[in-house]
Amino acid sequence: MACTNCSTGTKDGTPRGCKNNGTCGTDSCNKLTVFDWLSNMNLPNGEVAFDCVEIRFKNGRKEFYRNTENLTLSIGDVVATEASPGHDVGIITLTGELVRIQMKKKGVDFKGEVPKIYRKASQKDIDIWSDARDKEEPMKVKAREIAIRLKLEMKISDIEFQGDGSKAIFYYTANDRVDFRQLIKEFAQSFKTRIEMKQVGFRQEAARLGGIGSCGRELCCSTWLTDFRSVNTSAARYQQLSLNPQKLAGQCGKLKCCLNYELDTYLDALKDFPEFETKLHTEKGDAICQKQDIFKGLMWFAYTDNFANWHVLKIEHVKEIVALNKEKKRATSLEDYALEIAALPEKDFNNAMGQESLTRFDQPKKKKKPTKKKKPDNATTTNTQIKKPTIIIKNDAKK
C-alpha cells in the first residue's frame, strides 16, 4: 500500500510519507500489492479474526507476524516487530483471512511458531528507522569501494538497515563462492554496526531494485511475479524468435521471464504441425522445410536442388504428402499443392556510408580550372547604364 499522506500538504511535490523524493510508484510503495477483496465482509457469529498479518519491509520484502497483543491493526499502519536481535519496523500490507491464504501459498505454517508484533511504532521508533534509512545510500557507496579495493568478484546491490538501527543486511550477487571474512572485518570497523551478508540471485536483485523493461512497463518481478521459473533458449526457438542475447536478456542479464508466458500456447499450436525436420518426397525431387507460420498454419518447402524458390503449403497438404510417403508413394510435385511460389530476394549490397571507396579521403581533390566568361556580342556598356546598388540601413530601436 502507498503512504496515505505522500502527496498531501506539500508545495514542491516532495512526498512526506516515505521521503524518497519520488512518487507512490517508487521505493516499493506499490510493489507486489494485494487487493483485500474480503475487507467489506463480516465474519460469521462466533468466528475469531485471523491473528496473523502480512508486513512489508524495504524493496518489497514481506514477512508474516502474529498479533499476540490483539492490537487493532489496519493496512498502512507502521508497527514494530520481533527481530534477532532487537526489533524491526515495517508497514502492514494485508490483514484478515487473505493472510491465511497467502501463508498457505508461501508454505508458511500458521499453526507453528510465527514471529510476533510488539506494538504500533511510536514516533521515536519512526525517527530511528528513518535515520537508519538515510545512512543506507552513502554506506552502500563506501562498501562498494572497500569490495573493489579487496578485489572481490562480487557486487553489493543493496543495504537494508534493521528498524532499530542495530544491524545492517548487505545484499550481494556473485557468480562463484566469495571469501569475505576480511570484508566483514573492514565493514565492522568502518560502519560500527552488526553486519549480515546475504547472497541473492540476479533475478532477485532485479526484483529488489526494480526498473522499466523493454516493453515500457515496470518489471514483472518487481510488481507481481513472485516465482522465478527457469527460462531456456528452447522457449525462443518454439516461438521462432531470433536468438539475439541483447533482445532476449532482461535487466538481470538472464533470459526474460516473459518468454514463458505464451510458450504453452505455441506448444499447443505446434501439436497440429508436422515436425520441422519433415522431408517430403515427390517425383520432382525431395523437399525440406524452410519456415513455419504458426498463426496462419503454413509451411515453406524448397527442393534440395533449388533452394531459391520456396513453395507455400498448408499443413493439411503437408500431412497428405507425408501420408503418401508412409505408403511408399511419391507425390507428383509441390506445385500441385502450393498456394504460391516465393522467390528469395536477391542480396544487393548498398554502401550505406557512401558509394565511393573507403580511401576516398586519401587522395587530394583536383582543383577545377577557372573558366573564362565570354562577353556577349552586343555588350556595349556605358557609365549611364551601370547603376550602383543602394544600401538602406534601418534602425528600429527607440532612441
Side-chain angles (χ1 to χ4, degrees):
M1 290 296 292
C3 303
T4 56
N5 58 351
C6 273
S7 58
T8 57
T10 58
K11 296 180 181 180
D12 56 352
T14 302
R16 60 180 190 180
C18 53
K19 295 182 180 179
N20 61 350
N21 296 330
T23 61
C24 289
T26 60
D27 197 38
S28 312
C29 285
N30 289 331
K31 188 180 290 185
L32 301 177
T33 55
V34 179
F35 178 72
D36 190 1
W37 49 274
L38 295 177
S39 59
N40 296 328
M41 299 181 66
N42 297 324
L43 292 173
N45 294 330
E47 290 290 334
V48 181
F50 192 58
D51 60 347
C52 291
V53 296
E54 184 186 64
I55 298 178
R56 176 181 60 82
F57 299 93
K58 184 183 177 182
N59 286 338
R61 180 174 66 90
K62 292 184 177 181
E63 302 290 342
F64 299 100
Y65 291 87
R66 194 181 300 279
N67 185 10
T68 57
E69 303 296 331
N70 295 326
L71 301 173
T72 303
L73 302 175
S74 59
I75 296 176
D77 290 343
V78 182
V79 294
T81 63
E82 180 182 356
S84 177
H87 68 273
D88 205 349
V89 178
I91 302 172
I92 295 178
T93 56
L94 195 62
T95 60
E97 291 297 320
L98 275 184
V99 182
R100 191 197 304 270
I101 299 174
Q102 288 290 91
M103 294 179 75
K104 287 182 179 179
K105 182 180 178 181
K106 300 291 181 61
V108 180
D109 185 14
F110 57 87
K111 295 182 180 179
E113 294 183 2
V114 179
K116 61 182 180 179
I117 298 174
Y118 287 145
R119 61 186 179 276
K120 285 188 176 181
S122 61
Q123 188 61 40
K124 183 179 179 181
D125 294 332
I126 296 175
D127 292 340
I128 296 173
W129 177 42
S130 60
D131 292 340
R133 291 288 297 271
D134 294 338
K135 297 177 184 177
E136 291 174 355
E137 194 62 29
M139 191 173 177
K140 180 172 65 175
V141 175
K142 189 173 182 180
R144 287 177 175 176
E145 293 176 355
I146 296 174
I148 294 172
R149 180 166 52 81
L150 295 176
K151 297 181 180 180
L152 297 177
E153 295 182 358
M154 59 181 294
K155 176 188 174 183
I156 298 174
S157 59
D158 198 10
I159 296 176
E160 181 181 359
F161 258 101
Q162 198 169 278
D164 56 356
S166 62
K167 184 176 70 172
I169 303 175
F170 288 74
Y171 295 94
Y172 72 95
T173 56
N175 292 321
D176 300 323
R177 188 183 179 95
V178 180
D179 185 10
F180 44 78
R181 289 176 292 183
Q182 182 64 28
L183 182 69
I184 293 177
K185 291 180 181 179
E186 296 202 15
F187 280 176
Q189 293 175 359
S190 301
F191 306 131
K192 307 297 182 183
T193 186
R194 189 184 181 93
I195 304 297
E196 180 181 345
M197 304 296 295
K198 190 171 184 180
Q199 185 176 2
V200 295
F202 294 99
R203 296 182 189 272
Q204 286 77 10
E205 179 191 16
R208 288 182 59 82
L209 300 180
I212 304 298
S214 58
C215 58
R217 303 187 64 178
E218 291 186 60
L219 298 180
C220 298
C221 55
S222 61
T223 51
W224 63 271
L225 189 63
T226 56
D227 55 335
F228 301 99
R229 299 180 181 178
S230 60
V231 185
N232 300 324
T233 54
S234 59
R237 292 192 183 96
Y238 284 128
Q239 300 176 53
Q240 298 181 0
L241 300 175
S242 61
L243 299 179
N244 188 351
Q246 295 180 352
K247 293 184 178 181
L248 297 181
Q251 294 190 7
C252 57
K254 306 294 183 180
L255 293 176
K256 294 180 180 178
C257 297
C258 55
L259 292 175
N260 283 340
Y261 294 168
E262 298 179 354
L263 180 60
D264 295 337
T265 305
Y266 277 88
L267 291 177
D268 292 339
L270 286 172
K271 289 180 181 178
D272 298 332
F273 275 76
E275 295 183 0
F276 189 81
E277 294 80 9
T278 300
K279 195 172 184 179
L280 302 181
H281 304 284
T282 64
E283 295 178 357
K284 195 173 179 180
D286 297 338
I288 57 177
C289 183
Q290 302 293 326
K291 191 176 74 170
Q292 292 177 339
D293 192 331
I294 299 176
F295 299 103
K296 295 181 180 179
L298 301 177
M299 299 181 71
W300 279 257
F301 282 86
Y303 289 110
T304 54
D305 56 352
N306 185 12
F307 286 102
N309 295 325
W310 291 6
H311 300 75
V312 186
L313 278 73
K314 290 185 177 180
I315 57 174
E316 294 83 5
H317 297 158
V318 176
K319 291 180 180 179
E320 290 180 11
I321 300 176
V322 171
L324 289 174
N325 295 152
K326 287 183 178 179
E327 296 176 0
K328 297 183 179 180
K329 297 180 181 179
R330 289 178 175 264
T332 54
S333 64
L334 294 180
E335 287 78 3
D336 297 340
Y337 300 91
L339 298 177
E340 61 176 334
I341 300 175
L344 287 177
E346 297 181 358
K347 296 182 180 179
D348 295 333
F349 174 74
N350 293 324
N351 189 358
M353 300 300 295
Q355 300 299 328
E356 300 179 3
S357 63
L358 294 177
T359 59
R360 61 187 182 275
F361 297 114
D362 297 342
Q363 298 176 358
K365 293 184 178 180
K366 296 181 180 180
K367 294 182 179 180
K368 295 183 179 179
K369 295 181 179 179
T371 58
K372 295 182 179 180
K373 295 182 179 180
K374 296 181 180 180
K375 292 183 179 181
D377 297 337
N378 55 354
T380 57
T381 58
T382 60
N383 295 332
T384 57
Q385 292 176 340
I386 299 174
K387 295 182 179 180
K388 294 182 179 180
T390 58
I391 300 174
I392 301 173
I393 300 174
K394 292 183 179 181
N395 189 2
D396 296 334
K398 295 181 179 179
K399 295 181 181 179

